[in-house]
Amino acid sequence: MSFTKEINRRRTFGIISHPDAGKTTLTEKLLLFGGAIQEAGAVKSNKIKKGATSDFMEIERQRGISVATSVLAFEYNGYKINILDTPGHKDFAEDTFRTLTAVDSVIVVVDVAKGVEEQTEKLVEVCRMRNIPMIVFINKLDREGKDAFDLLDEIEQKLKLNVIPLSFPIGMGYDFKGIYNIWEKNINLFSGDSRKNIEETVEISDLQSDELDTLIGSKSANTLREELELVDGIYPTFDKQSYLDGHTQPVFFGSALNNFGVRELLDCFVEIAPKPRPKQSEERLVQPDEKAFTGFVFKIHANMDPNHRDRLAFVKIVSGKFERNTPYLHVRHGKKLKFSSPNAFFAEKKEIVDVSYPGDIVGLHDTGNFKIGDTLTEGEIINYKGIPSFSPEHFRYINNADPLKSKQLFKGIDQLMDEGVAQLFTLELNGRKVIGTVGALQYEVIQYRLEHEYGAKCTYENLNVYKACWVDAKDPKSESFKDFMAVKQRYLATDKQGQLVFLADSQFSLQMTQQKYPDITFHFTSEFR
Ligand code: G4P
């Protein structure tokens, strides 16, 4: 198959949702359609989150929370589909944000009864800012939920999206009869048998025909006709380009658990979802069909095999072919590296692969060379942008609890931060180290891993910080900036990249500082240039 064909048939996406909306269930059903797993429940019983193959750290298994982001790939109708799984737990939101830099589109799962929830709002906002094409899947139609139009309104308002329903439910909960597929112009009748993987689909070319009344009863048929007329009147006609540009978002209804409406979603998805997209680097825009290989690290997994202390760096291929045993330039280090056993991911297993194409993810064994955001090329100096750090929510001093193991402790902290487990700040005043995290859970993860992987012990001490703000001074030589540096010295730190950060202890103090130093901008994310 030609290089271009390989690129065009790839669909790399992420599924995002609030926990419990049905992301895992939907992933499982998609894998079923791809023939990547044989029975319903295969993924579920391992529960991608709790599985042995797709989450690698013992601690994850213990906690049953998906700390890790895994890759699930499968073939469907000639398409190569790569799903990048994202942890739903809010303490690991930063992980999800980083994964979103490696997807070409997303599917947003919304629970029909709960509607738009907090975590969905945050994740969709990130996608919206990056103009990532989104498809919405409204799940659990077999249960009583919100009225379809109300829910579409809620999605438009809370998620600030412009939705276009491409399917529409007929009834809901006990009265759920099926789904009219606006995209394919047919009806899927719901039998409510979750073990049945084959749905009964009936072509309906004329909505006014009596056939519709026979299929779902006159009352439902009339309601459907009215509702579809409303849909027609309210929502614009679907336009693929507008979806690809991130301006409109098609919506599908279904029930992942019952495998209902999932095939329709997948069939439409492969047709409209983007092939691997160009990516902006600091130097230039890189097109997927360029001959030379480039890619970037968006995720690092540690200690997959307890017998070998190695890590797996997940690289998204942006352009060219990635080939095994070929030397590639690690741009930040300025040195060439060769990979003898790059991993590709298929459903739930990983295998060594000789060639990978744009859109694919390869896992590279790493002994500490990589950190998140690193770029690999065939020689060109390119630095991919867009792996931001956000202000953590929690801050604690980290202390060494075993003076004989300080070397191990610092190495451990250094590597865990490279993996993006948390953020490290070093205070200007006294060089003390502060760990910032999105959730309190990460402190336990860090403590556990330092002990089990590095043989080091740590303790924490609370530090009262409201937000970490990256400092952006108009004129770093100005008197006002010098004054700021002197007056606020106690609150200043550097992040791991050496960027200056102001650790504001309250919203009030941040406001006062902003007022006093109008020439300095305080950013809640490291990505502001
Ligand atoms: P998540 O990954 O987004 O966190 O959600 P997950 O798929 O684990 O689904 C959360 C719960 O919702 C599960 O029930 C799952 O079976 C259920 N669910 C998913 N899709 C549907 C649907 O279409 N209809 C209905 N009625 N339920 C659905 P659970 O009891 O928490 O877990 P389990 O015991 O079934 O594993």
Side-chain angles (χ1 to χ4, degrees):
M1 198 180 293
S2 76
F3 178 52
T4 321
K5 273 195 183 144
E6 286 288 3
I7 299 175
N8 290 347
R9 75 185 194 94
R10 276 166 168 76
R11 301 284 181 270
T12 302
F13 73 106
I15 305 181
I16 55 175
S17 71
H18 193 85
D20 273 349
K23 186 162 63 72
T24 311
T25 314
L26 179 64
T27 308
E28 174 194 86
K29 302 300 160 155
L30 293 173
L31 289 174
L32 263 176
F33 276 112
I37 52 172
Q38 304 314 323
E39 51 177 304
V43 175
K44 198 73 183 179
S45 59
N46 287 331
K47 193 124 187 176
I48 291 185
K49 304 165 178 173
K50 297 176 193 156
T53 45
S54 69
D55 76 41
F56 306 102
M57 280 152 40
E58 196 185 352
I59 191 160
E60 293 175 58
R61 249 166 274 140
Q62 287 181 350
R63 296 180 189 284
I65 294 169
S66 176
V67 179
T69 301
S70 43
V71 184
L72 298 158
F74 63 94
E75 298 269 341
Y76 178 74
N77 281 355
Y79 291 94
K80 164 88 188 288
I81 297 176
N82 297 311
I83 307 182
L84 308 195
D85 188 33
T86 53
H89 194 288
K90 70 172 174 24
D91 282 10
F92 299 99
E94 186 115 7
D95 223 27
T96 301
F97 293 142
R98 283 192 293 260
T99 298
L100 292 177
T101 63
V103 301
D104 294 305
S105 71
V106 300
I107 292 180
V108 185
V109 183
V110 174
D111 183 319
V112 71
K114 293 191 180 139
V116 172
E117 296 171 89
E118 186 197 343
Q119 203 51 18
T120 320
E121 260 178 88
K122 285 196 186 144
L123 295 171
V124 165
E125 192 185 338
V126 173
C127 296
R128 226 182 35 237
M129 275 160 30
R130 294 171 182 271
N131 289 330
I132 298 177
M134 290 181 250
I135 295 180
V136 180
F137 181 72
I138 298 180
N139 190 26
K140 307 195 184 180
L141 263 288
D142 57 315
R143 286 205 187 148
E144 293 301 327
K146 300 188 181 186
D147 168 77
F149 286 107
D150 289 349
L151 196 51
L152 291 169
D153 277 356
E154 184 179 328
I155 292 173
E156 290 214 315
Q157 274 159 25
K158 285 200 180 159
L159 299 180
K160 301 188 187 72
L161 300 182
N162 298 309
V163 298
I164 302 179
L166 287 188
S167 78
F168 209 81
I170 307 167
M172 190 181 289
Y174 284 120
D175 190 34
F176 183 48
K177 295 206 165 54
I179 284 170
Y180 180 73
N181 190 330
I182 301 173
W183 174 252
E184 291 177 5
K185 296 205 172 13
N186 58 31
I187 279 188
N188 246 335
L189 293 174
F190 180 63
S191 68
D193 180 354
S194 65
R195 280 155 303 179
K196 204 172 92 173
N197 289 327
I198 305 150
E199 303 157 10
E200 194 184 336
T201 306
V202 186
E203 298 298 324
I204 294 281
S205 47
D206 179 9
L207 277 172
Q208 303 310 327
S209 76
D210 294 343
E211 201 192 342
L212 187 64
D213 298 70
T214 323
L215 275 177
I216 55 174
S218 290
K219 195 163 160 254
S220 297
N222 284 332
T223 312
L224 179 66
R225 286 181 187 116
E226 283 166 20
E227 287 178 331
L228 289 176
E229 219 168 279
L230 266 178
V231 167
D232 221 25
I234 302 174
Y235 302 101
T237 320
F238 175 70
D239 173 57
K240 186 172 160 183
Q241 196 53 46
S242 153
Y243 151 71
L244 289 176
D245 293 340
H247 299 323
T248 52
Q249 292 76 24
V251 178
F252 284 85
F253 291 82
S255 165
L257 187 65
N258 292 290
N259 206 1
F260 195 78
V262 179
R263 186 193 58 77
E264 292 69 17
L265 171 73
L266 182 58
D267 283 345
C268 177
F269 171 81
V270 291
E271 214 178 305
I272 67 169
K275 58 187 184 193
R277 304 203 297 171
K279 190 164 172 77
Q280 190 66 46
S281 70
E282 277 168 22
E283 293 74 14
R284 64 185 185 85
L285 186 71
V286 180
Q287 298 292 339
D289 59 358
E290 291 181 21
K291 280 273 168 313
F293 157 75
T294 64
F296 67 97
V297 178
F298 67 94
K299 169 81 196 165
I300 294 175
H301 255 312
N303 231 26
M304 319 252 299
D305 177 354
N307 298 322
H308 306 94
R309 165 100 62 79
D310 74 346
R311 319 195 288 179
L312 200 67
F314 288 74
V315 174
K316 162 90 184 278
I317 299 171
V318 178
S319 68
K321 275 191 234 174
F322 176 94
E323 286 173 280
R324 188 155 86 97
N325 278 328
T326 307
Y328 291 120
L329 177 69
H330 183 306
V331 176
R332 184 172 55 88
H333 283 168
K335 67 177 182 191
K336 292 235 170 176
L337 298 172
K338 242 192 318 199
F339 304 93
S340 59
S341 51
N343 286 131
F345 304 86
F346 293 102
E348 297 161 283
K349 25 179 217 298
K350 55 184 175 62
E351 288 169 4
I352 290 177
V353 71
D354 289 324
V355 187
S356 300
Y357 296 89
D360 284 341
I361 311 298
V362 283
L364 304 179
H365 289 279
D366 173 40
T367 46
N369 282 315
F370 286 119
K371 66 181 189 185
I372 286 178
D374 277 349
T375 304
L376 280 177
T377 71
E378 278 185 20
E380 190 179 348
I381 308 293
I382 278 182
N383 291 282
Y384 281 113
K385 294 195 199 183
I387 311 244
S389 296
F390 293 88
S391 172
E393 301 289 326
H394 304 263
F395 297 83
R396 292 183 194 170
Y397 287 117
I398 182 161
N399 301 320
N400 186 2
D402 181 352
L404 295 176
K405 297 282 171 62
S406 63
K407 220 173 113 193
Q408 285 87 335
L409 182 80
F410 288 118
K411 184 172 177 210
I413 295 177
D414 201 46
Q415 293 205 342
L416 293 182
M417 299 306 126
D418 280 354
E419 276 177 38
V421 174
Q423 292 179 58
L424 181 72
F425 301 98
T426 309
L427 291 188
E428 290 275 282
L429 189 64
N430 52 19
R432 284 192 77 180
K433 306 239 178 276
V434 172
I435 304 261
T437 66
V438 178
L441 198 52
Q442 266 106 335
Y443 290 106
E444 290 172 50
V445 174
I446 293 168
Q447 202 164 34
Y448 178 96
R449 289 190 53 191
L450 283 174
E451 196 170 332
H452 288 81
E453 294 168 32
Y454 299 91
K457 284 202 169 78
C458 73
T459 57
Y460 298 113
E461 214 178 299
N462 275 338
L463 175 67
N464 178 32
V465 175
Y466 158 67
K467 281 265 156 53
C469 313
W470 278 265
V471 177
D472 185 14
K474 247 190 205 155
D475 178 10
K477 291 201 182 81
S478 68
E479 284 308 313
S480 131
F481 187 66
K482 281 184 198 152
D483 183 66
F484 165 75
M485 291 293 285
V487 173
K488 295 292 175 191
Q489 194 189 18
R490 224 154 58 81
Y491 303 97
L492 294 178
T494 44
D495 70 3
K496 208 154 175 282
Q497 275 66 48
Q499 296 193 92
L500 187 66
V501 177
F502 173 52
L503 301 176
D505 58 356
S506 69
Q507 196 172 5
F508 178 72
S509 97
L510 176 59
Q511 275 169 358
M512 296 306 286
T513 312
Q514 278 167 328
Q515 276 172 19
K516 191 168 170 202
Y517 304 102
D519 280 355
I520 303 176
T521 318
F522 298 93
H523 301 272
F524 290 156
T525 157
S526 67
E527 186 192 27
F528 55 82
R529 288 206 166 88

